[in-house]
Structures are given as C-alpha cells and as structure tokens.
Amino acid sequence: MSNIIDKIFANSTKFIAFGILLLVAWIFTVLFEHSLESIEAFGFNFITEDKWAPNLEKFGALPAIYGSVISTFLAMVLAVPLAIGVAIFLSEIAHAKLKAPVGVSIELLAAIPSVIYGMWGLFYFVPIVRDIFGGIGISMLTAGIVLSIMILPFMAAVTRDAMNTTPDILKESAYALGGTKWDVVKDIIIPYAKAGIIGSFILALGRAIGETMAVTFVMGNVHKISTDLTEPATSIPVTLANEFAEADSGLYYSSLFELSLLLLVISFTIISIAKFYFLRRKRIGQ
Amino acid sequence: MATIVDITEEKALKVKDFEFMYAGADAPSVKKLNMPIAKHSITALIGPSGCGKTTLLRSFNRMHDLYPGNKYSGEILFKERNILNPKEDLIKLRIQIGMIFQKPTAFPMSIFDNVAYGLRLQGLKNKTELQGRVEKALQDAAIWNEVKDRLKHDANGLSGGQQQRLCIARAVAVEPEILLFDEPTSALDPISTAGIEELIVELRERVSIIIVTHNMQQAARVSDYTGFMYLGELVELGRTEEIFVTPKERLTEEYITGKFG
Ligand SMILES: Nc1ncnc2c1ncn2[C@@H]1O[C@H](COP(=O)(O)OP(=O)(O)O)[C@@H](O)[C@H]1O
Ligand SMILES: [Mg+2]
C-alpha cells in the first residue's frame, strides 16, 4: 500500500516538475513568436539603436537597456556596502536582545510589495532628490536609490544568514590566535560565507533589473541616453509597463515583446549564474 | 576536598577557588575548583561527559568571554597575575595560551596563510621571516614534508588528521607558553590519532600542555599528570601512573576501572 502511495507521489511530483519546465518553455515561445516581426524588421540593430520613436515606427532598445543596467548598477553600488554592514551588525555585533527584533523587521521590509516602494519613492524621494541634486527629481538617480532601498533588506537578510553558517568553532579558532572581532569578520566569516553572499547579491541584482513597479513611478520613461543621472530615463520593465496599453501598431507591439524577451534572457542568465555558480550546496570542510 | 599531589615543577597555571556558571544555567558547571598545572609537562583532564572539562579548559584562554552572560569567580594565576581580571588583555592572553579544538578547524585559506595567520595578526609582514616561521611551525607539527609542495593550496583539501596537525602548526607558530587541547583526536582515525599523540608528547619540551580527553588510554599514554573531574569538581590530581595504578580516591578508582562513565 505505502509502495503505491510512494509511486503516486513520485510520479505526480515528476509531472509537476516537468510541467514547470513546459511552462517556462511555453512563455519563452510565446514571447519569441510575438517578437518575430520586430526581430525581422530590425535584427541585431534592435539592441544597438538608440532611437525609440513609435510615431516613426523606429524601435531601438538601447536607452531601455542602458537604463536597466545603470539603475541596477547604481542600486547595487548603494546597497552592497550597506547590506554587508547591516549583516555584520546583525550576525556579530548586535546584542542578542537586539538581533531578533531588528532581524525580523528587516525580513518584514523585504516583504513590502514593490509598488509601495514606488509610491513612497514618488512622494518622498522625488522631492528630496530634486532639492539635493537638482533636475525634476524623476530620474535615473531616484530609480537607483529606490531600487537600492528595495533590495537592501533581502540582501542584508540573506547575507546575515550566510554569515551565520560559519561554524562557531572556526570563529573561536581565530579568536584563539589573538584575533579581534574585526579580524574574525574579515578573515573568517566573509571568506567562509563568500559564495552565499555573492549568490544573494546576484539574486538581488536579478530582482532589481526586472523590477517594474518600484521604478515606473520615479524614472519618467524617457528614451534618451544621458550621462546626467538627474535626467529622467527609462528601463526595459518601465517601458513595458508604460507602453503596452498604447501600442497601436503590430511592429510597436512586437518590439515591446522583443524587449520582454531580452529581459527574460537577462534575468535567466543572472539567476542561473547565482544558482549554479554561487549557491551550490557547499562542501563542509569538517 | 580534592586529593592533589605535590607538584615539584614550576607551575604554568594555578587555579584557585574557580567557579563557573553558564548564562541562563541554574547551577555552576565548575565548582570551587583548585588545581595547579605543571610547567613543561602534559596534564590530562578526564572524567565522564558533562563533568566540566571543556568548561574549565576554555576558562584558561577566556574563550567564554565571546558569549555574553557567563559568570565566573575565583582566580586563575598565570605568571602570578590573575587572568580572570576584567582588565586582562585577551588578545595577548590568547597568543600566550593557544587552543586546539575537537574538530580540525582549517580556515578558508591556503595552507601557508593558515599557519601565517596568527603571525600576521601580530603585524609580522616580513616575507622571509614569515616563510621561516611557517616552515618551522609546520616542521614542529610534523606535517612539513606532506605539505611543502602545496603550501598555496586550500587547507580544506587536507585530510582530517593533516588538518588537525595544521591547526597545531598554526597554534605553535605564535610560540605560546601553554597549549590547550580539547579532545583533539575525537574526530580522527586511529592512525592520525597516534600521530597527534606523538606530536603532543614532543611539544612538551617547549610548551605546557593541558589536554581534555574522554579516552583514558590516551591520558595514560601521553600525560605526566592526570586530573579526574566529576560533577564540576576536581576529585583527584596526581602523577598519571599513580592515578591509573594507585588512585587515592575511591571515585577515581571506580571511574578508571570502568564502574561508571
Ligand atoms: N554553552 C552552555 N550553556 C549552558 N550549559 C552548558 C554549556 N556548555 C556546557 N554546559 C553544561 O556544563 C556542564 C559541563 O559541560 P562541559 O564542560 O562541556 O563538560 P565535558 O567537557 O566534561 O563533557 C554540562 O552539564 C553541560 O550541560
Ligand atoms: Mg567536552
């Protein structure tokens, strides 16, 4: 009897796993099909062309790609050091009484829906950025800051978890040689947890690059490549969110699909690198 | 009161009325313990699991201070100063009193960097001197021949026994006066165990050694003095052959003849 149940269970899980793979393939196919018109029209120029002019039927993805890359890069530059700092504080410095409440609040922050970060960014961050850095406040910089705030809790929580996997006995061994807390953090804990930390950063990067709602409000959807970070800009998901409803020609529509196909490929690549390269189950030395 | 043999050698440590209670515990794990530790000899601590051997050992380098809320009182004299003094410089203390753990604890770095670690912490940067000290430490730990061609390799690639000797090399590299071993062979196979025991005996010439072991044969093989602990107290401390042949306390005799444990 239990044999049969085991078999049913094994087969149904197999079926579900296979179904998920099929789903991914299906999404991919649909996006690709809808992108065909644009791929045929622009070929490789789609990603190197910097003009996005729907009224002229000209679609170049470079400004959106540029915006995705720069806003994500900004977010990472701002969030990485903070996340490491918060994680070190939570795993090594904070008093036990502080660890739990601060840790839980950070996990709560990580659970806030991104649209809320977007609204909050629009009403509170846009004016602040405008006052401090000039411009209209709706800008690449604001997007980067809002994104960094959005990914920070996740990064900090996962980095802390990775640091907490360092065996006490390993830390004690370094203390036993006359190490200070700082020595132990930088020489033992961070190297030990390195793969997990980098993996979490890459997952956060994947999240930032595909993030839509948090940045749609604050980026401006302007298809222009500018080195001035206080200028409005756009990103792949921001373009998609803003323009699908108004796509009035087949080519416009198809170009948007090709953008989403690009985003999917980028996200898949990033997540795969994180999963297969950094987040593999670690061989424990002892 | 415990039966404590007269130790003719100089003392490496003197434990006086030492009492230790873990954070949140309702009874002390070490109770009013008095114990001299002879210099340049090997003192084994034996006793049934949970009797406080590890707790006592980790007091000698103030390891317990890494965790908040533990309470201790009494004195542990090292070079006539009480190392339990809150003003004690723990960094210096831990350089002078090294520790080897129950499991090998190779750091996530190369073999060379593992051994150089303590020296670098002290600010030693000179390459030739570092190289010399690392080589000497590895020789002292009888592992030089096995690793000399792969000093740059990750230390976690070594076998368990090799890693444990690497940890000993790392500890002797900073030239401590006392080395504390907490069941250093409990995770090792018999051959590696024999190697580590031999090494410990050789180290005695230069350092005073305290070794916790749950293995009475090990205590008999390596140590000069043996202390038998029970329920947080020292029952008897004597010359090892006397403890195992003619113990003075009935409890000690019962333990070494296997009546409990
Ligand atoms: N971190 C701790 N917190 C509370 N109690 C502990 C802790 N570590 C050990 N103890 C208790 O202290 C006593 C002595 O433990 P220990 O020194 O580890 O014994 P041994 O090394 O002789 O086996 C035991 O009763 C154990 O349960
Ligand atoms: Mg123990």
Side-chain angles (χ1 to χ4, degrees):
Chain A
M1 185 59 200
S2 77
N3 239 336
I4 297 172
I5 294 179
D6 274 358
K7 261 204 189 114
I8 294 175
F9 186 71
N11 281 325
S12 53
T13 45
K14 236 183 249 166
F15 182 76
I16 292 169
F18 189 65
I20 290 173
L21 270 182
L22 269 183
L23 186 66
V24 172
W26 186 31
I27 293 177
F28 211 85
T29 317
V30 167
L31 291 186
F32 187 73
E33 246 178 54
H34 283 83
S35 306
L36 269 177
E37 189 180 343
S38 154
I39 293 173
E40 275 161 13
F42 305 113
F44 198 70
N45 284 344
F46 185 72
I47 32 183
T48 54
E49 172 60 53
D50 68 353
K51 271 220 168 41
W52 181 274
N55 46 347
L56 303 175
E57 293 273 287
K58 274 198 89 168
F59 298 100
L62 197 59
I65 297 173
Y66 173 82
S68 284
V69 170
I70 299 296
S71 61
T72 303
F73 177 76
L74 268 177
M76 293 302 286
V77 166
L78 295 172
V80 163
L82 280 172
I84 293 180
V86 171
I88 291 173
F89 175 76
L90 283 178
S91 74
E92 295 304 311
I93 297 167
H95 193 274
K97 283 195 188 109
L98 210 60
K99 269 182 196 170
V102 177
V104 170
S105 4
I106 285 186
E107 278 155 22
L108 281 178
L109 277 178
I112 293 181
S114 57
V115 63
I116 293 173
Y117 281 106
M119 292 168 63
W120 175 67
L122 178 62
F123 289 108
Y124 289 94
F125 254 100
V126 165
I128 292 175
V129 170
R130 181 171 52 217
D131 292 347
I132 298 178
F133 298 98
I136 58 167
I138 291 188
S139 66
M140 183 81 94
L141 181 63
T142 318
I145 294 173
V146 171
L147 272 180
S148 76
I149 295 171
M150 190 194 79
I151 58 176
L152 178 63
F154 168 79
M155 281 167 73
V158 180
T159 301
R160 172 204 58 186
D161 292 345
M163 287 181 174
N164 280 344
T165 61
T166 314
D168 279 343
I169 194 171
L170 208 58
K171 298 188 234 170
E172 287 175 2
S173 298
Y175 284 115
L177 287 165
T180 60
K181 188 164 264 182
W182 171 238
D183 294 323
V184 174
V185 166
K186 89 176 154 39
D187 300 331
I188 311 299
I189 298 176
I190 291 182
Y192 185 88
K194 193 172 64 190
I197 295 173
I198 296 177
S200 84
F201 288 178
I202 294 182
L203 285 182
L205 188 126
R207 199 178 156 201
I209 212 160
E211 179 50 41
T212 312
M213 291 323 287
V215 285
T216 296
F217 291 101
V218 299
M219 214 166 183
N221 193 31
V222 172
H223 290 264
K224 209 181 111 210
I225 295 178
S226 167
T227 48
D228 181 355
L229 298 178
T230 62
E231 291 275 309
T234 193
S235 72
I236 298 177
V238 167
T239 306
L240 295 176
N242 277 298
E243 301 186 24
F244 249 115
E246 41 195 74
D248 46 11
S249 76
L251 189 58
Y252 194 174
Y253 197 66
S254 178
S255 297
L256 290 174
F257 265 105
E258 193 178 347
L259 267 187
S260 56
L261 185 65
L262 265 177
L263 182 61
L264 186 69
V265 171
I266 295 171
S267 302
F268 261 33
T269 312
I270 291 172
I271 306 273
S272 308
I273 292 173
K275 283 280 180 216
F276 294 112
Y277 195 69
F278 293 105
L279 298 179
R280 279 175 308 193
R281 193 166 290 280
K282 233 184 138 122
R283 180 177 57 88
I284 303 296
Q286 286 90 45
Chain B
M1 270 312 279
T3 305
I4 293 173
V5 74
D6 267 336
I7 289 178
T8 46
E9 294 98 326
E10 253 184 280
K11 314 288 185 296
L13 288 174
K14 283 181 234 164
V15 183
K16 290 191 170 161
D17 289 328
F18 178 67
E19 190 151 303
F20 184 94
M21 188 141 101
Y22 281 105
D26 43 18
S29 291
V30 173
K31 295 168 203 155
K32 288 268 177 261
L33 191 137
N34 287 280
M35 181 177 188
I37 306 281
K39 219 171 185 171
H40 293 297
S41 52
I42 301 175
T43 304
L45 288 174
I46 60 169
S49 180
C51 70
K53 308 179 292 294
T54 297
T55 306
L56 178 63
L57 194 76
R58 287 163 66 88
S59 305
F60 297 151
N61 63 349
R62 299 271 303 268
M63 219 38 160
H64 295 300
D65 287 52
L66 293 178
Y67 306 95
N70 298 321
K71 289 198 194 73
Y72 46 82
S73 61
E75 291 183 349
I76 296 175
L77 296 176
F78 171 54
K79 301 181 166 192
E80 305 307 321
R81 75 173 191 271
N82 178 16
I83 60 169
L84 297 183
N85 188 321
K87 293 208 187 80
E88 175 71 25
D89 180 345
L90 298 187
I91 306 256
K92 284 209 183 100
L93 177 72
R94 289 173 186 155
I95 291 169
Q96 292 172 311
I97 304 184
M99 183 168 238
I100 311 293
F101 296 78
Q102 262 180 329
K103 288 190 216 154
T105 55
F107 295 147
M109 47 181 91
S110 74
I111 293 171
F112 183 92
D113 290 342
N114 259 277
V115 183
Y117 188 71
L119 299 167
R120 286 190 173 131
L121 282 182
Q122 292 175 37
L124 184 62
K125 288 206 180 72
N126 183 304
K127 263 218 170 113
T128 20
E129 197 183 345
L130 263 180
Q131 237 138 25
R133 302 264 306 255
V134 168
E135 175 173 345
K136 180 164 182 308
L138 286 166
Q139 267 162 354
D140 290 345
I143 190 181
W144 171 248
N145 285 329
E146 285 156 72
V147 300
K148 64 172 185 250
D149 297 323
R150 45 172 170 158
L151 293 174
K152 294 230 152 52
H153 291 208
D154 185 353
N156 278 298
L158 297 172
S159 75
Q162 288 173 324
Q163 284 191 30
Q164 195 61 306
R165 274 182 287 151
L166 181 73
C167 292
I168 295 175
R170 190 170 72 190
V172 297
V174 298
E175 298 177 344
E177 298 185 25
I178 302 177
L179 269 183
L180 312 170
F181 290 82
D182 190 358
E183 305 199 20
T185 60
S186 63
L188 303 182
D189 61 85
I191 294 174
S192 307
T193 298
I196 299 283
E197 286 180 4
E198 203 179 310
L199 180 54
I200 290 173
V201 172
E202 280 167 20
L203 286 174
R204 170 179 48 186
E205 285 176 18
R206 280 173 296 136
V207 286
S208 313
I209 288 167
I210 308 172
I211 174 171
V212 165
T213 173
H214 60 257
N215 178 332
M216 277 186 275
Q217 285 77 35
Q218 183 166 72
R221 282 193 297 268
V222 304
S223 69
D224 306 301
Y225 292 93
T226 296
F228 169 59
M229 286 179 73
Y230 186 60
L231 299 178
E233 295 182 65
L234 181 69
V235 175
E236 184 168 356
L237 174 73
R239 299 204 144 270
T240 296
E241 59 280 7
E242 282 166 14
I243 292 283
F244 283 98
V245 181
T246 54
K248 302 211 164 47
E249 296 278 336
R250 203 171 50 90
L251 213 51
T252 315
E253 186 183 341
E254 283 177 2
Y255 181 71
I256 59 155
T257 54
K259 292 214 176 70
F260 70 95

